[in-house]
Amino acid sequence: METTRPLGRSGIEVSALGFGCWAIGGEWQAADGQPLGWGRVDDEESVRAVRRALDLGVTFFDTADTYGAGHSERVLGRALGKRRADVVVATKWGNVFDENTRTLTGSDASPAYLRRALTASLDRLGTDYVDLYQFHLSDAGPEQAALLRDACEELVREGLIRAYAWSTDDPVRAAVFAEGPHCAAVQHALNVLNDAPAMLRLCEEAGLASVNRSPLAMGLLTGKRRERQPLEAGDIRSRPPAWLQGFGDGSGADPEWLARVDALREVLTSEGRTLAQGALAWLWARSPRTVPIPGFRSVAQAEENAGALEKGALTGAQLAEADRLLGR
């Protein structure tokens, strides 16, 4: 397998594996106290992990302004430092937050806010351009999205961004952004437990990259979660929002989901892969357009995820076997 993939039709090449920087933002919350992070982090370890990933050939890092209420962008910017030009940085806008209290306070889908948010992200990242700028409000209306798409085209002309995308699980919405010449991707949920054939079809037809969030199903596909294993208070999975599958009532991983993971264990751990590496290998086999972005909080996780690159994609037969095991 090639260890790089094109970022849609942008002319930008990225490592076939990206790193998702939600977790390294640390703790933050909704206005009602709902945790939106993954618990406590050690910023020095996060910096070491990003740099280790770079050494192992990872060149694509995905964050958002709201992760850790600005903290993830600051940590990523510091970690990249002088190597900024060697990497492709993706971030997102649309959420409004208070950086001091680390609280999500609302959302803003206006073109005026888009420009303000980008200026703030550039400052936190310590850079003068973003490679892939992504709209973070998954359910915004198509008319509003068309205005934002046109505003993104203006930002491309100004050299502030190179390409843009929408983070949404709705192919109809993603298609609105895809009409813009510099739309390069759609970021959407995809993993072996949760296929997205309609979105992959759109990526194929529109020439977009499929940037895969939740490639390890929020940790279920790492093999490290046990049934009803308690989660720390600052972890979003301890009070899961409606969209977060597999963690039911917040008392830990859902037994039904863990049973599915167990059913897949043998096929995913073939050729000496860890379970997580097998889950990433499934995504590469699923489509030549996929770029999974697993999260990480430590050097060890960075090394395990990056280790999937040398083992490559699953075979067509293994892909079919996974479908059979899941009754698809």
Side-chain angles (χ1 to χ4, degrees):
M1 181 186 94
E2 289 287 324
T3 54
T4 62
R5 289 192 161 186
L7 191 66
R9 53 198 183 192
S10 65
I12 301 169
E13 281 280 316
V14 294
S15 49
L17 178 73
F19 268 36
C21 301
W22 178 8
I24 65 169
E27 295 185 270
W28 56 298
Q29 59 188 10
D32 66 357
Q34 153 88 45
L36 294 171
W38 289 69
R40 290 184 297 274
V41 284
D42 171 349
D43 289 346
E44 298 313 310
E45 180 71 3
S46 299
V47 167
R48 285 191 292 271
V50 168
R51 291 179 179 163
R52 183 70 181 125
L54 281 168
D55 292 341
L56 293 169
V58 175
T59 62
F60 182 52
F61 293 87
D62 173 86
T63 186
D65 57 0
T66 195
Y67 294 163
H71 193 64
S72 175
E73 287 185 330
R74 292 186 187 281
V75 171
L76 180 62
R78 176 157 74 92
L80 295 176
K82 293 187 169 63
R83 297 171 76 176
R84 165 67 183 99
D86 305 335
V87 300
V88 175
V89 172
T91 191
K92 308 180 194 77
W93 90 91
N95 289 296
V96 182
F97 52 91
D98 183 324
E99 206 167 333
N100 295 320
T101 62
R102 290 195 160 212
T103 304
L104 176 69
T105 55
S107 62
D108 190 335
S110 69
Y113 181 69
L114 156 66
R115 190 171 281 271
R116 284 206 308 279
L118 176 60
T119 303
S121 282
L122 292 172
D123 183 55
R124 284 188 293 264
L125 286 161
T127 185
D128 49 13
Y129 67 99
V130 164
D131 298 281
L132 184 68
Y133 203 35
Q134 303 164 106
F135 185 34
H136 209 173
L137 305 180
S138 59
D139 53 358
E143 297 79 13
Q144 193 60 28
L147 294 176
L148 293 170
R149 177 196 65 211
D150 297 345
C152 282
E153 286 291 335
E154 180 57 40
L155 294 171
V156 172
R157 281 193 288 277
E158 292 175 39
L160 294 170
I161 66 174
R162 293 171 74 195
Y164 57 88
W166 193 345
S167 177
T168 178
D169 290 327
D170 177 5
V172 176
R173 282 182 164 83
V176 174
F177 257 41
E179 288 170 24
H182 293 91
C183 178
V186 57
Q187 182 169 143
H188 64 100
L190 180 67
N191 58 60
V192 62
L193 300 171
N194 203 354
D195 199 3
M199 193 65 94
L200 290 173
R201 204 158 42 244
L202 172 74
C203 290
E204 192 59 50
E205 287 163 5
L208 303 178
S210 156
V211 177
N212 312 134
R213 70 178 124 79
S214 300
L216 303 178
M218 307 291 278
L220 291 173
L221 286 163
T222 61
K224 298 179 178 80
R225 297 244 62 90
R226 298 282 164 266
E227 196 174 314
R228 303 297 175 215
Q229 178 187 5
L231 295 145
E232 63 175 298
D235 188 321
I236 188 168
R237 297 168 297 184
S238 68
R239 279 176 61 189
W243 57 263
L244 204 170
Q245 297 177 296
F247 289 88
D249 55 7
S251 64
D254 190 316
E256 275 181 39
W257 283 77
L258 287 175
R260 279 174 230 168
V261 173
D262 274 337
L264 292 166
R265 193 174 296 271
E266 197 177 321
V267 69
L268 294 182
T269 56
S270 58
E271 284 86 54
R273 294 180 176 94
T274 65
L275 190 64
Q277 289 170 345
L280 297 170
W282 180 87
L283 285 159
W284 291 322
R286 181 66 184 83
S287 159
R289 298 188 169 273
T290 54
V291 182
I293 48 167
F296 64 101
R297 274 195 278 187
S298 65
V299 170
Q301 286 174 329
E303 289 175 340
E304 181 181 353
N305 290 343
L309 280 168
E310 36 193 283
K311 297 197 166 68
L314 293 183
T315 63
Q318 288 169 324
L319 203 63
E321 176 66 0
D323 274 342
R324 190 188 67 75
L325 290 165
L326 292 171
R328 286 204 288 248

